[in-house]
Amino acid sequence: MKYIIIGAVAGGASTAARIRRLDETAEIIMIEKGDYVSYANCGLPYYIGDVIKDRNKLFIQDAASFKKRFNIDVKVRTEAVGIHPIKKKVTLLDLDTQKTYEETYDKLVLSTGAVPIKPPIPGIHSTNVFTLRNVHDTDLVKAVIQNQKVKHATVVGGGFIGIEMMENLTHLGIETRLIERAPQVLAFLDEDMAKIAKTEMEAHGVTVDVNNGLSEISDNPDGSKTIKLENGEEFQTDLVILSIGVKPNNFLAKSAGLDIGDKGGVLVNEFMQTSDPNIYAVGDVIQFQHPVCEASYPIYLAGPANKQGRICANNIVNGNTKRFKGSVSTTIVKVFGKTIAATGVNSRMLTNHSIKHITSITHSASNAGYYPGATQMVIKIAFNPETGVLLGAQIIGEQGVDKRIDVFSTFVQNKQTVEDLMEFEQAYAPPFSSAKDPVNMAGFVANNIMDKVMEIFNPEEIEHLGADKFLLDVRTPTEFEAGTIPNAINIELDELRNRLESLPKDKTIYLFCEVGLRGYLATRILVQNGFEVKNLTGGYRFWKSTYGLLVNTSEKIFI
């Protein structure tokens, strides 16, 4: 059997290596347009930022080592320019000689990845304006930073690459401005969680523009650029990184007549097989059914691409026996001192797909609070209010975020419930967790909501509370004096039972504490005394970090 894999890096390289492990006699040819076969493209921003100092550490395999170890014929600097499914042939272009030739195949794998989006903005193709998708792009950016006096950089786009480049440029001492046309950075987050991320960036000196896109780039006589934004603002910069987004590199697939999805990805079945039974596809180029929203989406992540490569290889060698169950888009990114992660589907996307859900916010320590070094995490989960099935989770914190998001990912993948979160058994010792892990706590709170032990309200509802609503702060007077939500009155939790006559029974009481726990205890007291009560999910701390401003002492009301 003769296999041709078009595209290397994550999906293509893992497919080729797995085929060889399964079939020692196979003829395997891997086609790569660039110079490099297998490299850590997720590490490119950190090489630019000198976090990774040795460039060679980015490379996993080269063409020679692939040939030696796997007996795979790797053709670098070779572009596939046409696929002929009926003849089962591929037309290839040698980029060095500019000569074309054909190769036959029994099975073909497309791993052509994604290409950067470059909208028709004036000046977008000028010097010192870069995208960052491969080693060549990285070398160009690195050279400009090392050889020119780059004092200011502009990053366009608040996705993964944009955020990582923003952080690494800042680490190099370069003043950095981030521009995002959407209402928020990091689209995989809910808007309130994204506000916390934005605050972290601004705390490290980054200027962050949201709801404001790039309008024009113009050259200045001194070599700098003038950036014009959609709101008319202009400023000067020395370097521009475009991270506006990517789209599936579907040119070959389209020209071969393969089925393409509404998002531009090559449609594949659960076996990674395209509409042509002899052609498979993996990685960023494909579009696949999302297991939560049951809609078809591309997933631009290295982890799923590698797993797809293994499944694809099994199927083309042994027949379609291995199924890809889809990706729940588990993601993580470092933003200065914070780790930000998510899995499943955020509230905005659930709403767009008309999926019933409730969100719940908890604050928990990374390990036992009495053990040195514990730091706080904010955890937001979305779940079905009728079945309790977990639909998504988002976490922002300093430590322990990665291991908790991996737990939530497993629960989302397996369609488990918030009751399962309550019973999750973690490895516990004070340096690593608490007896009630943050995962458990998220489950406990969600279960209280489902069982109607506690009714909640969200921070965004506060500004819309009418005159018939009663806003109650159950924190201590000292906490209240330091800052509270406008129009709130203060009765400390421990005094609440003695002050019931001060509270109205003809109004809904909207109460809050610092993070939600005392609010829950207050809810139980008041509900059992005949009051209608809602507790602020995430508490004052979350409201303050996402929606709130401190009010003057004169505006505080004690009763």
Side-chain angles (χ1 to χ4, degrees), residues 216-281:
E216 184 178 348
I217 304 171
S218 57
D219 294 326
N220 299 319
D222 63 355
S224 67
K225 309 286 181 187
T226 295
I227 300 293
K228 184 175 182 180
L229 303 181
E230 289 179 346
N231 68 354
E233 182 183 355
E234 295 185 0
F235 62 91
Q236 284 193 319
T237 195
D238 302 309
L239 172 70
V240 180
I241 303 294
L242 300 174
S243 183
I244 297 171
V246 296
K247 58 184 178 181
N249 185 9
N250 62 19
F251 170 77
L252 275 175
K254 273 187 174 181
S255 65
L258 303 181
D259 290 348
I260 306 295
D262 59 343
K263 305 294 190 300
V266 179
L267 292 176
V268 296
N269 61 19
E270 59 190 338
F271 305 114
M272 314 312 302
Q273 192 174 36
T274 71
S275 53
D276 184 310
N278 295 309
I279 302 177
Y280 291 68

Side-chain angles (χ1 to χ4, degrees), residues 26 39 90 156 248 280 297 301 316 324 348 481 521 549:
Y39 59 90
V90 179
V156 185
Y280 291 68
Y297 284 96
L301 296 170
I316 64 177
F324 179 60
R348 180 182 61 257
E481 186 71 23
L521 299 176
L549 295 172

